[in-house]
Amino acid sequence: MKIKQLLLAVAPFKYVIKGFDYLKDPYYVDVQKLNRKETSKSPVRTEIINYLLSGKGDKTCYLEIGVRNPEKNFNHIKASEKYSVDPGVEFKENPVDFKMTSDAFFEKLSANEILNNNIKFDVIFIDGLHLADQVDRDIINALQYIKDDGFIVLHDCNPPTEFHARERYGYYFTPANGFWNGTTWKAFLKWRFNPTVYSCCVDTDWGVGILSKTVNIGESITPVNPFFEFTEFDQNRKAYMNLISFDKLKEIVG
Ligand SMILES: C[S@@+](CC[C@H](N)C(=O)[O-])C[C@H]1O[C@@H](n2cnc3c(N)ncnc32)[C@H](O)[C@@H]1O
């Protein structure tokens, strides 16, 4: 023990010892397992969105908020009319229709400066800034432009740990490594309390949340977890988020 104390006083040894302590820590090891578990789940968001669109006939209208590299999802979405919004924070090329934030997009849309403010989408995919107040605003705006039988889909609703649910996107020195779900779960949970929408969360790809005005994919719940504490969410996530499998979703929607 004395030797360890002495070595800790010397910078290079300190980094090695602290590094080993960090990598061997049981909590760190558990989070690595959860990272692997989540990334091995299927299907991914694209299949779920395409499934929801496939029930809407030949003429479908899709909006994606937050696109990054369109090869990862947007380009694979099967809809006859598609629009994309992204201010280009994470992907320099940013090949989207509307190079702006979602707030600016909805403001311009409502002022009839872009598209047509009578437009209604079959699916709106919210995957922009993953902070609860922004996601909540995106949901409020999306509800105005979604068809009555359409679906609002949200990525990253089911963070495995508090590290995935951190507020700071760019801080990677946590057991979640580069994975980030932000605080989207809080906005989704807030909408789970709202009896004017039905909701569920498909337990795959970091939680694919779905909201609908008319399709009963899950009844709202009585408000819980008033301080949006992660531990309480973690212990009750199945009920709070109405976590279901993709097969169950198909059974309900189909
Ligand atoms: C997680 S990525 C999107 C991934 C993509 N939807 C997919 O499925 O592969 C988040 C994107 O949101 C964008 N973004 C950041 N802030 C935004 C905002 N306020 N409004 C819209 N998009 C935003 C970022 O530039 C980034 O490209």
Side-chain angles (χ1 to χ4, degrees), residues 63-68 74 83-88 94 96-103 105-106 128:
L63 172 68
E64 183 163 325
I65 294 169
V67 177
R68 198 160 54 201
F74 186 80
Y83 299 101
S84 49
V85 177
D86 197 308
N94 198 28
V96 297
D97 299 303
F98 302 104
K99 296 181 203 300
M100 57 186 78
T101 64
S102 49
D103 286 347
F105 170 79
F106 283 116

PDB file of all heavy atoms in Angstrom, residues 63-68 74 83-88 94 96-103 105-106 128:
ATOM      1  N   LEU A  63     -40.841  13.984 -42.146  1.00  0.00           N
ATOM      2  CA  LEU A  63     -39.954  15.075 -41.725  1.00  0.00           C
ATOM      3  C   LEU A  63     -38.958  14.535 -40.708  1.00  0.00           C
ATOM      4  O   LEU A  63     -39.357  13.856 -39.755  1.00  0.00           O
ATOM      5  CB  LEU A  63     -40.780  16.198 -41.068  1.00  0.00           C
ATOM      6  CG  LEU A  63     -39.990  17.324 -40.394  1.00  0.00           C
ATOM      7  CD1 LEU A  63     -39.227  18.169 -41.425  1.00  0.00           C
ATOM      8  CD2 LEU A  63     -40.937  18.224 -39.583  1.00  0.00           C
ATOM      9  N   GLU A  64     -37.661  14.829 -40.916  1.00  0.00           N
ATOM     10  CA  GLU A  64     -36.648  14.424 -39.926  1.00  0.00           C
ATOM     11  C   GLU A  64     -35.979  15.669 -39.354  1.00  0.00           C
ATOM     12  O   GLU A  64     -35.426  16.493 -40.086  1.00  0.00           O
ATOM     13  CB  GLU A  64     -35.607  13.485 -40.572  1.00  0.00           C
ATOM     14  CG  GLU A  64     -34.569  12.981 -39.566  1.00  0.00           C
ATOM     15  CD  GLU A  64     -33.811  11.752 -40.066  1.00  0.00           C
ATOM     16  OE1 GLU A  64     -34.421  10.911 -40.758  1.00  0.00           O
ATOM     17  OE2 GLU A  64     -32.606  11.651 -39.765  1.00  0.00           O
ATOM     18  N   ILE A  65     -36.019  15.775 -38.034  1.00  0.00           N
ATOM     19  CA  ILE A  65     -35.365  16.882 -37.335  1.00  0.00           C
ATOM     20  C   ILE A  65     -34.083  16.350 -36.717  1.00  0.00           C
ATOM     21  O   ILE A  65     -34.128  15.484 -35.841  1.00  0.00           O
ATOM     22  CB  ILE A  65     -36.292  17.417 -36.221  1.00  0.00           C
ATOM     23  CG1 ILE A  65     -37.525  18.052 -36.837  1.00  0.00           C
ATOM     24  CG2 ILE A  65     -35.560  18.410 -35.331  1.00  0.00           C
ATOM     25  CD1 ILE A  65     -38.592  18.369 -35.819  1.00  0.00           C
ATOM     26  N   GLY A  66     -32.940  16.833 -37.180  1.00  0.00           N
ATOM     27  CA  GLY A  66     -31.646  16.311 -36.737  1.00  0.00           C
ATOM     28  C   GLY A  66     -31.281  15.131 -37.610  1.00  0.00           C
ATOM     29  O   GLY A  66     -31.842  14.040 -37.477  1.00  0.00           O
ATOM     30  N   VAL A  67     -30.369  15.344 -38.532  1.00  0.00           N
ATOM     31  CA  VAL A  67     -30.091  14.336 -39.562  1.00  0.00           C
ATOM     32  C   VAL A  67     -28.649  13.803 -39.482  1.00  0.00           C
ATOM     33  O   VAL A  67     -28.400  12.625 -39.685  1.00  0.00           O
ATOM     34  CB  VAL A  67     -30.341  14.944 -40.971  1.00  0.00           C
ATOM     35  CG1 VAL A  67     -29.984  13.959 -42.072  1.00  0.00           C
ATOM     36  CG2 VAL A  67     -31.781  15.400 -41.114  1.00  0.00           C
ATOM     37  N   ARG A  68     -27.711  14.680 -39.187  1.00  0.00           N
ATOM     38  CA  ARG A  68     -26.283  14.357 -39.218  1.00  0.00           C
ATOM     39  C   ARG A  68     -25.931  13.727 -40.563  1.00  0.00           C
ATOM     40  O   ARG A  68     -26.170  14.317 -41.592  1.00  0.00           O
ATOM     41  CB  ARG A  68     -25.890  13.457 -38.031  1.00  0.00           C
ATOM     42  CG  ARG A  68     -24.388  13.457 -37.770  1.00  0.00           C
ATOM     43  CD  ARG A  68     -24.045  12.990 -36.373  1.00  0.00           C
ATOM     44  NE  ARG A  68     -24.604  11.706 -36.045  1.00  0.00           N
ATOM     45  CZ  ARG A  68     -24.790  11.280 -34.780  1.00  0.00           C
ATOM     46  NH1 ARG A  68     -24.444  12.030 -33.765  1.00  0.00           N
ATOM     47  NH2 ARG A  68     -25.301  10.095 -34.548  1.00  0.00           N
ATOM     48  N   PHE A  74     -31.836   8.875 -42.850  1.00  0.00           N
ATOM     49  CA  PHE A  74     -32.735   9.631 -43.737  1.00  0.00           C
ATOM     50  C   PHE A  74     -32.829   9.034 -45.139  1.00  0.00           C
ATOM     51  O   PHE A  74     -33.927   8.867 -45.684  1.00  0.00           O
ATOM     52  CB  PHE A  74     -32.280  11.099 -43.809  1.00  0.00           C
ATOM     53  CG  PHE A  74     -33.221  11.976 -44.588  1.00  0.00           C
ATOM     54  CD1 PHE A  74     -34.385  12.471 -44.006  1.00  0.00           C
ATOM     55  CD2 PHE A  74     -32.954  12.308 -45.912  1.00  0.00           C
ATOM     56  CE1 PHE A  74     -35.268  13.273 -44.730  1.00  0.00           C
ATOM     57  CE2 PHE A  74     -33.835  13.102 -46.643  1.00  0.00           C
ATOM     58  CZ  PHE A  74     -34.989  13.592 -46.045  1.00  0.00           C
ATOM     59  N   TYR A  83     -38.525  15.604 -45.998  1.00  0.00           N
ATOM     60  CA  TYR A  83     -37.840  16.862 -45.699  1.00  0.00           C
ATOM     61  C   TYR A  83     -36.919  16.675 -44.496  1.00  0.00           C
ATOM     62  O   TYR A  83     -37.233  15.908 -43.581  1.00  0.00           O
ATOM     63  CB  TYR A  83     -38.860  17.972 -45.404  1.00  0.00           C
ATOM     64  CG  TYR A  83     -39.765  18.240 -46.579  1.00  0.00           C
ATOM     65  CD1 TYR A  83     -41.059  17.718 -46.608  1.00  0.00           C
ATOM     66  CD2 TYR A  83     -39.319  18.975 -47.676  1.00  0.00           C
ATOM     67  CE1 TYR A  83     -41.892  17.929 -47.696  1.00  0.00           C
ATOM     68  CE2 TYR A  83     -40.143  19.193 -48.778  1.00  0.00           C
ATOM     69  CZ  TYR A  83     -41.423  18.673 -48.778  1.00  0.00           C
ATOM     70  OH  TYR A  83     -42.240  18.876 -49.859  1.00  0.00           O
ATOM     71  N   SER A  84     -35.810  17.419 -44.533  1.00  0.00           N
ATOM     72  CA  SER A  84     -34.815  17.270 -43.465  1.00  0.00           C
ATOM     73  C   SER A  84     -34.401  18.642 -42.926  1.00  0.00           C
ATOM     74  O   SER A  84     -34.293  19.611 -43.681  1.00  0.00           O
ATOM     75  CB  SER A  84     -33.590  16.525 -44.015  1.00  0.00           C
ATOM     76  OG  SER A  84     -33.167  17.110 -45.236  1.00  0.00           O
ATOM     77  N   VAL A  85     -34.162  18.674 -41.625  1.00  0.00           N
ATOM     78  CA  VAL A  85     -33.806  19.925 -40.923  1.00  0.00           C
ATOM     79  C   VAL A  85     -32.583  19.663 -40.053  1.00  0.00           C
ATOM     80  O   VAL A  85     -32.576  18.691 -39.281  1.00  0.00           O
ATOM     81  CB  VAL A  85     -34.967  20.360 -39.984  1.00  0.00           C
ATOM     82  CG1 VAL A  85     -34.590  21.605 -39.201  1.00  0.00           C
ATOM     83  CG2 VAL A  85     -36.263  20.571 -40.756  1.00  0.00           C
ATOM     84  N   ASP A  86     -31.570  20.497 -40.179  1.00  0.00           N
ATOM     85  CA  ASP A  86     -30.389  20.346 -39.315  1.00  0.00           C
ATOM     86  C   ASP A  86     -29.520  21.597 -39.449  1.00  0.00           C
ATOM     87  O   ASP A  86     -29.219  22.020 -40.563  1.00  0.00           O
ATOM     88  CB  ASP A  86     -29.572  19.095 -39.724  1.00  0.00           C
ATOM     89  CG  ASP A  86     -28.599  18.658 -38.636  1.00  0.00           C
ATOM     90  OD1 ASP A  86     -27.814  19.501 -38.160  1.00  0.00           O
ATOM     91  OD2 ASP A  86     -28.617  17.467 -38.260  1.00  0.00           O
ATOM     92  N   PRO A  87     -29.115  22.188 -38.319  1.00  0.00           N
ATOM     93  CA  PRO A  87     -28.251  23.378 -38.427  1.00  0.00           C
ATOM     94  C   PRO A  87     -26.802  23.025 -38.773  1.00  0.00           C
ATOM     95  O   PRO A  87     -25.984  23.911 -39.004  1.00  0.00           O
ATOM     96  CB  PRO A  87     -28.349  24.005 -37.029  1.00  0.00           C
ATOM     97  CG  PRO A  87     -28.674  22.863 -36.121  1.00  0.00           C
ATOM     98  CD  PRO A  87     -29.457  21.860 -36.929  1.00  0.00           C
ATOM     99  N   GLY A  88     -26.473  21.735 -38.783  1.00  0.00           N
ATOM    100  CA  GLY A  88     -25.120  21.331 -39.192  1.00  0.00           C
ATOM    101  C   GLY A  88     -24.100  21.398 -38.078  1.00  0.00           C
ATOM    102  O   GLY A  88     -22.929  21.711 -38.328  1.00  0.00           O
ATOM    103  N   ASN A  94     -23.592  18.507 -44.125  1.00  0.00           N
ATOM    104  CA  ASN A  94     -24.983  18.868 -43.808  1.00  0.00           C
ATOM    105  C   ASN A  94     -25.890  18.983 -45.042  1.00  0.00           C
ATOM    106  O   ASN A  94     -26.462  20.055 -45.295  1.00  0.00           O
ATOM    107  CB  ASN A  94     -24.994  20.184 -43.001  1.00  0.00           C
ATOM    108  CG  ASN A  94     -26.308  20.397 -42.264  1.00  0.00           C
ATOM    109  OD1 ASN A  94     -26.994  19.440 -41.897  1.00  0.00           O
ATOM    110  ND2 ASN A  94     -26.690  21.650 -42.058  1.00  0.00           N
ATOM    111  N   VAL A  96     -28.945  18.869 -46.094  1.00  0.00           N
ATOM    112  CA  VAL A  96     -30.363  18.808 -45.711  1.00  0.00           C
ATOM    113  C   VAL A  96     -31.160  19.886 -46.440  1.00  0.00           C
ATOM    114  O   VAL A  96     -30.586  20.814 -47.023  1.00  0.00           O
ATOM    115  CB  VAL A  96     -30.542  18.968 -44.174  1.00  0.00           C
ATOM    116  CG1 VAL A  96     -29.881  17.831 -43.424  1.00  0.00           C
ATOM    117  CG2 VAL A  96     -30.010  20.322 -43.693  1.00  0.00           C
ATOM    118  N   ASP A  97     -32.473  19.786 -46.389  1.00  0.00           N
ATOM    119  CA  ASP A  97     -33.333  20.775 -47.054  1.00  0.00           C
ATOM    120  C   ASP A  97     -33.319  22.107 -46.318  1.00  0.00           C
ATOM    121  O   ASP A  97     -33.347  23.162 -46.924  1.00  0.00           O
ATOM    122  CB  ASP A  97     -34.782  20.249 -47.108  1.00  0.00           C
ATOM    123  CG  ASP A  97     -34.865  18.963 -47.893  1.00  0.00           C
ATOM    124  OD1 ASP A  97     -34.461  18.968 -49.067  1.00  0.00           O
ATOM    125  OD2 ASP A  97     -35.302  17.933 -47.332  1.00  0.00           O
ATOM    126  N   PHE A  98     -33.315  22.034 -44.990  1.00  0.00           N
ATOM    127  CA  PHE A  98     -33.413  23.268 -44.205  1.00  0.00           C
ATOM    128  C   PHE A  98     -32.267  23.309 -43.205  1.00  0.00           C
ATOM    129  O   PHE A  98     -32.268  22.585 -42.203  1.00  0.00           O
ATOM    130  CB  PHE A  98     -34.786  23.338 -43.514  1.00  0.00           C
ATOM    131  CG  PHE A  98     -35.921  23.272 -44.502  1.00  0.00           C
ATOM    132  CD1 PHE A  98     -36.657  22.103 -44.658  1.00  0.00           C
ATOM    133  CD2 PHE A  98     -36.213  24.364 -45.322  1.00  0.00           C
ATOM    134  CE1 PHE A  98     -37.679  22.024 -45.599  1.00  0.00           C
ATOM    135  CE2 PHE A  98     -37.234  24.292 -46.269  1.00  0.00           C
ATOM    136  CZ  PHE A  98     -37.963  23.120 -46.412  1.00  0.00           C
ATOM    137  N   LYS A  99     -31.275  24.165 -43.517  1.00  0.00           N
ATOM    138  CA  LYS A  99     -30.079  24.252 -42.671  1.00  0.00           C
ATOM    139  C   LYS A  99     -30.359  25.254 -41.554  1.00  0.00           C
ATOM    140  O   LYS A  99     -29.981  26.425 -41.631  1.00  0.00           O
ATOM    141  CB  LYS A  99     -28.884  24.701 -43.512  1.00  0.00           C
ATOM    142  CG  LYS A  99     -28.487  23.705 -44.591  1.00  0.00           C
ATOM    143  CD  LYS A  99     -27.271  24.225 -45.366  1.00  0.00           C
ATOM    144  CE  LYS A  99     -27.161  23.608 -46.736  1.00  0.00           C
ATOM    145  NZ  LYS A  99     -27.019  22.178 -46.798  1.00  0.00           N
ATOM    146  N   MET A 100     -31.052  24.803 -40.560  1.00  0.00           N
ATOM    147  CA  MET A 100     -31.431  25.679 -39.440  1.00  0.00           C
ATOM    148  C   MET A 100     -31.862  24.812 -38.261  1.00  0.00           C
ATOM    149  O   MET A 100     -32.054  23.598 -38.417  1.00  0.00           O
ATOM    150  CB  MET A 100     -32.581  26.599 -39.866  1.00  0.00           C
ATOM    151  CG  MET A 100     -33.806  25.860 -40.353  1.00  0.00           C
ATOM    152  SD  MET A 100     -35.093  26.960 -41.022  1.00  0.00           S
ATOM    153  CE  MET A 100     -34.450  27.334 -42.627  1.00  0.00           C
ATOM    154  N   THR A 101     -32.034  25.452 -37.119  1.00  0.00           N
ATOM    155  CA  THR A 101     -32.499  24.699 -35.947  1.00  0.00           C
ATOM    156  C   THR A 101     -33.979  24.353 -36.135  1.00  0.00           C
ATOM    157  O   THR A 101     -34.676  24.976 -36.958  1.00  0.00           O
ATOM    158  CB  THR A 101     -32.366  25.537 -34.658  1.00  0.00           C
ATOM    159  OG1 THR A 101     -33.227  26.671 -34.780  1.00  0.00           O
ATOM    160  CG2 THR A 101     -30.938  25.981 -34.413  1.00  0.00           C
ATOM    161  N   SER A 102     -34.450  23.413 -35.333  1.00  0.00           N
ATOM    162  CA  SER A 102     -35.867  23.037 -35.424  1.00  0.00           C
ATOM    163  C   SER A 102     -36.755  24.215 -35.031  1.00  0.00           C
ATOM    164  O   SER A 102     -37.815  24.422 -35.625  1.00  0.00           O
ATOM    165  CB  SER A 102     -36.154  21.815 -34.543  1.00  0.00           C
ATOM    166  OG  SER A 102     -35.639  21.998 -33.249  1.00  0.00           O
ATOM    167  N   ASP A 103     -36.326  25.015 -34.051  1.00  0.00           N
ATOM    168  CA  ASP A 103     -37.130  26.182 -33.653  1.00  0.00           C
ATOM    169  C   ASP A 103     -37.304  27.129 -34.840  1.00  0.00           C
ATOM    170  O   ASP A 103     -38.412  27.595 -35.117  1.00  0.00           O
ATOM    171  CB  ASP A 103     -36.446  26.945 -32.502  1.00  0.00           C
ATOM    172  CG  ASP A 103     -36.555  26.212 -31.175  1.00  0.00           C
ATOM    173  OD1 ASP A 103     -37.354  25.258 -31.081  1.00  0.00           O
ATOM    174  OD2 ASP A 103     -35.827  26.582 -30.232  1.00  0.00           O
ATOM    175  N   PHE A 105     -36.996  26.396 -37.994  1.00  0.00           N
ATOM    176  CA  PHE A 105     -37.795  25.729 -39.026  1.00  0.00           C
ATOM    177  C   PHE A 105     -39.292  25.898 -38.749  1.00  0.00           C
ATOM    178  O   PHE A 105     -40.067  26.300 -39.618  1.00  0.00           O
ATOM    179  CB  PHE A 105     -37.427  24.240 -39.094  1.00  0.00           C
ATOM    180  CG  PHE A 105     -38.355  23.428 -39.941  1.00  0.00           C
ATOM    181  CD1 PHE A 105     -38.242  23.430 -41.334  1.00  0.00           C
ATOM    182  CD2 PHE A 105     -39.369  22.666 -39.368  1.00  0.00           C
ATOM    183  CE1 PHE A 105     -39.121  22.695 -42.121  1.00  0.00           C
ATOM    184  CE2 PHE A 105     -40.240  21.933 -40.147  1.00  0.00           C
ATOM    185  CZ  PHE A 105     -40.118  21.944 -41.526  1.00  0.00           C
ATOM    186  N   PHE A 106     -39.707  25.606 -37.527  1.00  0.00           N
ATOM    187  CA  PHE A 106     -41.143  25.669 -37.221  1.00  0.00           C
ATOM    188  C   PHE A 106     -41.652  27.114 -37.245  1.00  0.00           C
ATOM    189  O   PHE A 106     -42.794  27.365 -37.602  1.00  0.00           O
ATOM    190  CB  PHE A 106     -41.442  24.989 -35.881  1.00  0.00           C
ATOM    191  CG  PHE A 106     -41.434  23.481 -35.966  1.00  0.00           C
ATOM    192  CD1 PHE A 106     -40.501  22.718 -35.265  1.00  0.00           C
ATOM    193  CD2 PHE A 106     -42.362  22.810 -36.762  1.00  0.00           C
ATOM    194  CE1 PHE A 106     -40.498  21.327 -35.348  1.00  0.00           C
ATOM    195  CE2 PHE A 106     -42.367  21.419 -36.850  1.00  0.00           C
ATOM    196  CZ  PHE A 106     -41.433  20.677 -36.139  1.00  0.00           C
ATOM    197  N   GLY A 128     -33.059  15.793 -32.955  1.00  0.00           N
ATOM    198  CA  GLY A 128     -32.161  16.952 -33.014  1.00  0.00           C
ATOM    199  C   GLY A 128     -31.392  17.120 -31.722  1.00  0.00           C
ATOM    200  O   GLY A 128     -30.683  16.207 -31.287  1.00  0.00           O
TER     201      GLY A 128
END
